[in-house]
Amino acid sequence: MVLAGVVAIAASCVAQATRPSALVIRHVNVVDVASGELHRDQDVVIAGDRIQSVAPSNATRMTAETVDGRGKYLIPGLWDCHVHLSWTTPSALPLFIALGITEVRDLGGKLTDLEAWRARIADGTLVGPHIMRVGPILNGKSFNAYQFVPGSAEATRGAVRLLAYLGMDEIKVHRRLPRDWYFAAIDEAKQLGIKLVGHIPMEVSPEEASNAGQYMIEHTETLFEGTFSANLKDADVPAAIHAWLQTDEPDKLFATFVRNGTWVDPTVSGYLEAADLLDPATPPDPRYRYVAASQRKLAAAAKPLSAAEIKTTHEHMNALVDVTARMAKDHVKMVAGTDAAGPRLPGFSLHAELVDFVRAGMTPLQALQTATLDPAVAFGRTADLGSVATGKLADLVLLDANPLQSIESTQRIAAVVQDGKLYRKQDLDGLFARAAKLAAAN
């Protein structure tokens, strides 16, 4: 169904924005996401898809399309480092841009979907973010269409070689991957020079995964899915996590992560949202009109949880926030991702993730870094992304308020620039309308 609608979607999603020969954002406050400094009253000149210069306003004299940046704040385009686009359907693509998310990392989807969307985004016939591909997912048992079961440790090596050959940016593993398959995968990935990321398999401890060289751990929850909770009932896990937090074990584990350079993608907001979605007491959110109708229908048909199960789910998810807070305190390197998939709300959840990071003890600057500078560092993209600087790709978000004072300011978007194309407020409103229309049809 998704691919059948791609041609029609492409026709309806041609960018309204244009790429002028030159664009200047004048008198703007540029946020230095590395230092936390504000460079006030700057002119940011964009030529083609690159930033040509960043200089004090009185130094710029040229004829160009202009954006008045007085009283506004310019940041790099945002990343959502954990999405599943084949599940969200292409309705999410224009929504990401409307919400200032110019880069996403797909952690498991259909390659034909992703390649079709990437090609159309590149040629300007589809509005959407740049897409990293990290899939299909290697697992010991397939739970959905985007997971692949290699069959043995040696076959897992072959699967890693094939995915690397096909040009995947990283290799992802899931929690049911057998122990010997996992270590075969990570060894093969090392030999090929490709990073292995994902869940921690249930037969592997977090320390072992970090020491073996797993580059990024997806979800705070995966720290507790296997060896930690193997003998616990679901209802007992939140208390066990909090008891664990009272020991010195978390600091030891997270020191191991820091020593090994192990990154973590907590996806806190996605799990908190999932808990709310399962709770019938949660009031309706009109933003769910941006979720594909097919996914909303599946969610509505799911068996409801009992009151006790809902209580446990909320307790579990809030315990994961506390664990994420400890990781932040212990200086574990983190990126912002949401696990946007199925009935969960794409785009908006990235901004919720940043709010949850501040709730977990980060400063607004640290939270902002997890969606700008830190992904560029983690994924080797600092030559192009991660800061507002000369020579960088012109993926930018213009805000009406200072995100260093309040992280909620990332939600006050005045304009977005992607690849040098300017989306003014009216263009962003059009993308919201388009996303809602596509969601209703998918």
Side-chain angles (χ1 to χ4, degrees):
M1 179 180 67
V2 172
L3 284 179
V6 164
V7 174
I9 290 163
S12 66
C13 286
V14 174
Q16 299 296 321
T18 59
R19 181 186 293 146
S21 57
L23 170 67
V24 183
I25 305 174
R26 292 192 181 275
H27 301 292
V28 71
N29 299 306
V30 173
V31 179
D32 185 329
V33 295
S35 67
E37 296 178 3
L38 274 181
H39 302 290
R40 299 183 183 276
D41 197 27
Q42 301 288 298
D43 281 357
V44 177
V45 179
I46 297 164
D49 64 353
R50 296 277 166 176
I51 299 173
Q52 187 176 73
S53 65
V54 180
S57 290
N58 59 10
T60 304
R61 296 287 184 272
M62 62 183 299
T63 301
E65 182 173 350
T66 63
V67 176
D68 186 356
R70 288 180 177 85
K72 302 187 188 301
Y73 299 81
L74 193 65
I75 63 172
L78 299 169
W79 286 74
D80 188 332
C81 297
H82 196 128
V83 302
H84 295 275
L85 298 177
S86 292
W87 265 323
T88 62
T89 81
S91 62
L93 297 174
L95 184 63
F96 283 125
I97 299 301
L99 291 165
I101 301 165
T102 57
E103 326 291 327
V104 299
R105 176 170 166 259
D106 190 285
L107 266 291
K110 192 173 181 180
L111 290 182
T112 49
D113 289 349
L114 300 179
E115 289 306 308
W117 297 330
R118 278 162 53 104
R120 287 175 169 81
I121 289 167
D123 70 17
T125 58
L126 187 65
V127 176
H130 302 122
I131 302 169
M132 281 183 66
R133 301 155 303 160
V134 190
I137 305 162
L138 301 182
N139 204 3
K141 183 179 179 181
S142 180
F143 293 89
N144 58 59
Y146 313 120
Q147 297 189 1
F148 175 69
V149 180
S152 69
E154 190 56 36
T156 301
R157 288 182 179 272
V160 171
R161 290 195 296 271
L162 178 60
L163 291 172
Y165 174 79
L166 292 174
M168 297 302 100
D169 295 294
E170 297 170 338
I171 304 296
K172 182 183 178 183
V173 297
H174 217 276
R175 64 177 187 163
R176 292 294 185 90
L177 198 71
R179 182 180 176 88
D180 59 331
W181 299 15
Y182 170 77
F183 287 106
I186 205 163
D187 180 66
E188 194 68 29
K190 283 181 180 177
Q191 293 186 43
L192 295 170
I194 188 169
K195 296 178 174 66
L196 185 137
V197 304
H199 291 237
I200 298 168
M202 298 178 74
E203 299 173 358
V204 177
S205 72
E207 293 90 345
E208 288 179 305
S210 178
N211 287 329
Q214 181 165 331
Y215 183 70
M216 186 172 289
I217 292 169
E218 308 296 328
H219 318 300
T220 300
E221 184 184 41
T222 196
L223 302 177
F224 309 101
E225 286 181 320
T227 55
F228 181 91
S229 60
N231 298 315
L232 295 173
K233 295 179 180 178
D234 288 348
D236 297 330
V237 171
I241 292 173
H242 280 121
W244 178 75
L245 284 170
Q246 300 308 309
T247 72
D248 62 355
E249 291 303 312
D251 294 330
K252 290 179 181 178
L253 174 61
F254 301 144
T256 298
F257 288 0
V258 171
R259 182 177 65 252
N260 292 333
T262 307
W263 290 78
V264 177
D265 179 10
T267 67
V268 171
S269 69
Y271 282 79
L272 293 171
E273 181 189 359
D276 287 338
L277 282 172
L278 294 168
D279 187 349
T282 302
D285 185 337
R287 296 178 302 173
Y288 280 88
R289 68 184 181 275
Y290 297 111
V291 173
S294 60
Q295 302 302 313
R296 281 181 277 148
K297 184 177 179 180
L298 287 174
K303 181 182 177 181
L305 298 182
S306 68
E309 289 171 325
I310 290 170
K311 180 176 181 291
T312 295
T313 300
H314 281 290
E315 290 173 348
H316 190 165
M317 300 315 165
N318 284 304
L320 299 181
V321 174
D322 294 337
V323 175
T324 303
R326 180 67 70 86
M327 285 193 285
K329 178 177 179 291
D330 286 347
H331 308 293
V332 174
K333 297 187 292 186
M334 289 187 273
V335 296
T338 65
D339 201 20
R344 290 196 290 275
L345 188 61
F348 295 98
S349 54
L350 185 279
H351 294 279
E353 183 83 355
L354 302 184
V355 172
D356 287 327
F357 280 168
V358 172
R359 171 188 167 194
M362 292 186 189
T363 65
L365 173 61
Q366 289 170 329
L368 184 62
Q369 288 170 337
T370 68
T372 53
L373 178 61
D374 292 341
V377 172
F379 307 131
R381 298 296 310 281
T382 53
D384 293 321
L385 300 167
S387 61
V388 182
T390 300
K392 297 293 180 78
L393 193 65
D395 284 6
L396 305 165
V397 186
L398 185 64
L399 303 174
D400 285 325
N402 186 355
L404 301 178
Q405 293 182 346
S406 171
I407 197 61
E408 286 86 352
S409 296
T410 64
Q411 301 171 46
R412 298 181 59 185
I413 297 173
V416 174
V417 179
Q418 188 197 26
D419 288 338
K421 295 178 182 178
L422 172 64
Y423 296 85
R424 296 181 185 269
K425 190 66 170 68
Q426 62 267 30
D427 301 318
L428 300 179
D429 290 342
L431 292 179
F432 279 118
R434 188 176 302 161
K437 183 177 180 179
L438 291 171
N442 279 277

